[in-house]
């Protein structure tokens, strides 16, 4: 790999995404660091966007791909709602996203890893894991990035079915602390959002 490509790959994998599904909600956390090449720009980036006021899409990857593809999915979901008078479900947004990643994979792939979360009437909370190779899985907890090497074990150990929001936040807090202490990259600032039947809100750890 060329040096510029290698720096991009390291920067993309340096993004940290965490998702935890609870009884009637989903918590999504993403690091707030923005970088270009080897330069750290700021620590207030929001890598979690809202779709239709009741779904979350968290993305990690190179700045251009992450921003462009996230907004592409967001605007297409809004366009569908305007044209048809009905919102896409969380599963439909996830499958649409996976289809676009798969189509781009053989043309000009997006280097984006994503988590998609939402709470739909009748189906309850859902969390989807997607990677840049267009793999998708519906799961109870997830992590992306280099920090995932440390976080997956914690999620497997501490996640429980029907956990409360306070319990889920405690697990996310534990994951953030572990990533901050263990990984060689400085990952210290995180944004955390919760989606439930009342919509989306930002919380602090």
């Amino acid at each position: 790999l060329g040096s510029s490509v290698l720096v991009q790959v390291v920067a993309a994998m340096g993004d940290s995404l965490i998702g935890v599904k609870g009884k009637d909600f989903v918590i999504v956390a993403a690091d707030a660091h923005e970088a270009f090449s080897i330069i750290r720009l700021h620590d207030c980036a929001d890598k979690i966007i809202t779709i239709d006021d009741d779904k979350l899409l968290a993305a990690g990857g190179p700045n251009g791909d992450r921003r462009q593809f996230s907004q592409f999915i967001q605007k297409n979901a809004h366009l569908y709602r305007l044209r048809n008078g009905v919102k896409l479900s969380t599963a439909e947004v996830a499958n649409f996203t996976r289809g676009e990643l798969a189509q781009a994979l053989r043309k000009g792939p997006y280097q984006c890893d994503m988590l998609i979360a939402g709470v739909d009437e009748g189906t309850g909370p859902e969390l989807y894991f997607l990677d840049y190779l267009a793999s998708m899985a519906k799961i109870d907890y997830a992590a992306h990035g280099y920090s995932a090497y440390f976080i997956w074990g914690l999620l497997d150990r501490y996640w429980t079915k029907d956990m409360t929001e306070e319990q889920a936040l405690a697990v996310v807090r534990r994951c953030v602390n572990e990533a901050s202490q263990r990984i060689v990259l400085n990952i210290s600032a995180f944004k955390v959002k919760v989606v439930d039947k009342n919509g989306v809100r930002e919380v602090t750890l």
Side-chain angles (χ1 to χ4, degrees):
L1 290 175
S3 59
S4 61
V5 175
L6 184 59
V7 167
Q8 278 191 345
V9 171
V10 172
M13 290 296 290
D15 290 341
S16 295
L17 307 179
I18 306 169
V20 178
K21 186 180 79 171
K23 183 177 181 180
D24 53 5
F25 64 90
V26 183
I27 296 176
V28 178
D31 73 277
H33 303 304
E34 191 88 68
F36 176 75
S37 183
I38 61 171
I39 302 171
R40 187 167 180 166
L41 301 177
H42 60 81
D43 298 327
C44 55
D46 191 351
K47 300 176 183 178
I48 311 172
I49 66 171
T50 302
I51 299 177
D52 288 337
D53 303 321
D54 59 0
K55 288 176 280 292
L56 294 172
L57 186 154
N63 295 335
D65 282 5
R66 173 172 55 81
R67 290 177 181 272
Q68 181 184 3
F69 190 69
S70 296
Q71 292 177 8
F72 172 77
I73 298 301
Q74 181 189 51
K75 303 311 178 188
N76 271 276
H78 289 180
L79 180 61
Y80 182 91
R81 182 181 63 181
L82 291 173
R83 282 179 171 174
N84 300 282
V86 62
K87 297 179 181 179
L88 289 169
S89 68
T90 306
E92 289 167 340
V93 171
N95 279 278
F96 171 73
T97 303
R98 186 220 171 259
E100 293 300 318
L101 281 171
Q103 188 174 14
L105 192 60
R106 292 157 183 83
K107 299 177 181 178
Y110 294 100
Q111 299 294 317
C112 290
D113 294 322
M114 286 169 288
L115 300 177
I116 296 177
V119 179
D120 298 315
E121 187 175 353
T123 59
E126 293 181 312
L127 175 64
Y128 290 87
F129 173 100
L130 297 93
D131 68 11
Y132 72 101
L133 294 175
S135 299
M136 185 182 79
K138 180 181 178 182
I139 50 183
D140 296 319
Y141 50 82
H144 273 301
Y146 284 133
S147 60
Y149 289 109
F150 307 101
I151 292 172
W152 275 109
L154 290 172
L155 292 173
D156 187 57
R157 169 66 178 83
Y158 292 105
W159 181 87
T160 58
K161 187 177 180 180
D162 295 334
M163 64 196 317
T164 65
E165 184 175 326
E166 290 75 18
Q167 291 172 328
L169 282 172
V171 173
V172 173
R173 190 178 300 114
R174 188 186 292 265
C175 291
V176 169
N177 290 339
E178 190 74 10
S180 301
Q181 294 173 10
R182 297 293 183 181
I183 195 167
V184 67
L185 301 173
N186 183 9
I187 304 175
S188 56
F190 276 78
K191 281 188 178 290
V192 183
K193 296 184 181 181
V194 179
V195 58
D196 55 24
K197 64 180 181 180
N198 299 316
V200 174
R201 67 185 189 278
E202 186 170 344
V203 298
T204 56
L205 290 178

